[in-house]
Amino acid sequence: MMRMIAIWTLILAWGLALTGPARAMDSLVQAKNFHADARTAAQRQVPILVLFTSPTCPYCERAKREYLVPMHMDPGYHSRVIIREVNINSTASLTGFDGKPTTEGAFARANKVSIVPTVMVFDPRGTATSEAIVGLLIADYYFGYLEAAIDEGMRMVRGKKISLKTGP
C-alpha cells in the first residue's frame, strides 16, 4: 500500500511539474516595466503591443486565447513586436515609458482606456502608432486588425529609427 501511495505521489508531482511551464506558456507577459521594454524595442526596432484587459472580461480571454497568445508564442513575431498585458483595474506597480512609477490602472486611464479588450501599439517612446482596437470587433477580421496595427507600428518605428538615450 505504501509503495502504491509513493508511486501515485510521484506521478502527481511529475504531472504538476509539467503543467507549470505549460501554463506559463499559454498566457501573455504582464507589463511591469515599459521603460525596459522600450529599450529592448528600440534595439530590435519593433513596436510594443499592449492588450488592456480585465479579469472578468470573457472577450479579453477570447482575444488572448485565439489571437494574442498564439502571436506571442510564434517565433516569427519576436522580430516584429513585443506583446504585454495591462489589467485596467489593477493597482500593481508598473514603470511607465518615461521611467516613472505608476500602476497598471493609472497607465490605462492615462491612455484613455476604459473598454476591454483594447489593443494599442506604441513606439519605444510610448507614442501610440495607430488607432486603438477597441473591443473584439468582428472575430473573422480581428487578426487582420492586429496585423495592420503591428505593421503600422513597425513602419513608424523603423521609419524613425528610434533610439533611446541611456545617459547624459
Side-chain angles (χ1 to χ4, degrees):
M1 180 68 158
M2 291 302 283
R3 185 174 180 194
M4 189 61 107
I5 291 172
I7 290 171
W8 280 109
T9 302
L10 284 173
I11 291 171
L12 179 62
W14 181 71
L16 289 174
L18 290 178
T19 60
R23 278 200 189 116
M25 297 297 283
D26 69 359
S27 64
L28 296 177
V29 176
Q30 201 69 26
K32 296 289 179 214
N33 188 335
F34 280 125
H35 191 65
D37 290 337
R39 283 193 304 269
T40 302
Q43 289 170 346
R44 291 175 30 198
Q45 293 293 300
V46 297
I48 300 168
L49 180 150
V50 179
L51 172 66
F52 293 90
T53 64
S54 172
T56 59
C57 169
Y59 298 105
C60 299
E61 288 305 313
R62 183 173 177 200
K64 287 192 304 189
R65 181 182 64 251
E66 293 180 17
Y67 303 98
L68 293 160
V69 169
M71 282 181 168
H72 179 68
M73 301 292 297
D74 184 340
Y77 280 95
H78 295 179
S79 63
R80 297 184 60 212
V81 67
I82 293 172
I83 301 174
R84 296 293 180 259
E85 181 177 359
V86 168
N87 176 341
I88 68 166
N89 300 316
S90 177
T91 57
S93 35
L94 171 70
T95 302
F97 282 96
D98 58 3
K100 294 179 182 172
T102 187
T103 66
E104 290 184 50
F107 180 79
R109 286 188 298 280
N111 284 284
K112 298 175 177 48
V113 175
S114 59
I115 298 172
V116 290
T118 292
V119 172
M120 294 182 73
V121 178
F122 297 92
D123 70 18
R125 292 189 181 128
T127 303
T129 61
S130 60
E131 292 288 320
I133 302 169
V134 180
L136 191 55
L137 305 174
I138 301 168
D140 289 345
Y141 299 110
Y142 195 70
F143 183 77
Y145 297 138
L146 294 172
E147 279 288 312
I150 292 168
D151 288 345
E152 181 63 20
M154 285 180 56
R155 276 193 293 279
M156 298 289 284
V157 170
R158 292 179 179 174
K160 291 179 186 176
K161 293 293 183 192
I162 294 172
S163 64
L164 300 176
K165 292 185 179 180
T166 56

